Amino acid sequence: MELFDFPNKEIWEKRRCWVDDEMQCIEDGTDCSSHGAALFMDLQACYCIGAWLAVIVLSVSVIDAHLRETEALDDKMKTAKLLEEYYEGNDDINWLRKLRNQYVHLNLDNPILEVNDQFDNRTNLEADATKAIKMVIKTLSQSISLP
């Protein structure tokens, strides 16, 4: 299984280059949250290794940290309200927040995640993780410092 195998250098490099290419939308002068940037570094590593659930879970944390520090300037606002008010992407940010919450908060009556998903659902997990990291990059690119 990819998740437990030693990283394939070619796959790692392909994913790292993809993230770098996506990051080209972030111009000089972007006001990036230091906390969010630190979390994003781990997010990149998770993406490159193929830790798809970690990418999804961590994506909300990166977006939250960045928007709190650069847009809302408020560390008390609830995440749902923060995302609703400050996320400027075209994607449904609540999709990501709700997916993350389903992974993090177990629903005993309707579990969304089982161990077999790590083996049988890798393609869907990767697609969701890729969408999530694109949303993060969009968020990081929306805060431009004014001179």
Side-chain angles (χ1 to χ4, degrees):
M1 178 183 159
E2 173 192 11
L3 190 58
F4 296 122
D5 292 339
F6 191 78
N8 176 298
K9 185 174 170 105
E10 289 176 25
I11 293 172
W12 174 280
E13 192 63 25
K14 179 181 171 188
R15 291 174 182 161
R16 188 192 60 76
C17 287
W18 178 84
V19 172
D20 287 348
D21 288 346
E22 291 291 312
M23 293 289 290
Q24 294 303 311
C25 70
I26 299 179
E27 301 174 10
D28 290 339
T30 300
D31 186 16
C32 190
S33 158
S34 181
H35 190 98
L39 291 172
F40 185 74
M41 294 168 118
D42 266 16
L43 179 66
Q44 286 178 286
C46 290
Y47 187 83
C48 290
I49 197 71
W52 308 129
L53 292 172
V55 170
I56 293 163
V57 170
L58 196 50
S59 289
V60 175
S61 297
V62 175
I63 292 170
D64 182 282
H66 179 74
L67 293 178
R68 282 184 196 286
E69 191 171 336
T70 63
E71 301 285 336
L73 304 174
D74 183 351
D75 62 353
K76 304 292 186 244
M77 185 182 296
K78 298 261 186 210
T79 298
K81 183 174 181 180
L82 176 80
L83 298 177
E84 181 181 313
E85 288 189 22
Y86 294 100
Y87 179 74
E88 295 177 0
N90 294 327
D91 296 297
D92 181 8
I93 192 66
N94 281 316
W95 165 83
L96 180 57
R97 183 184 60 79
K98 289 175 183 177
L99 183 61
R100 177 252 180 221
N101 286 349
Q102 289 174 324
Y103 287 147
V104 172
H105 306 292
L106 174 64
N107 179 342
L108 289 172
D109 295 327
N110 187 23
I112 188 174
L113 186 64
E114 296 178 356
V115 71
N116 285 342
D117 289 323
Q118 286 287 11
F119 302 95
D120 302 335
N121 199 18
R122 304 275 313 145
T123 302
N124 289 336
L125 291 172
E126 180 177 3
D128 286 346
T130 300
K131 182 177 178 180
I133 202 168
K134 285 181 175 184
M135 293 171 83
V136 170
I137 292 167
K138 170 60 182 159
T139 304
L140 295 176
S141 69
Q142 79 181 35
S143 302
I144 305 298
S145 297
L146 299 175

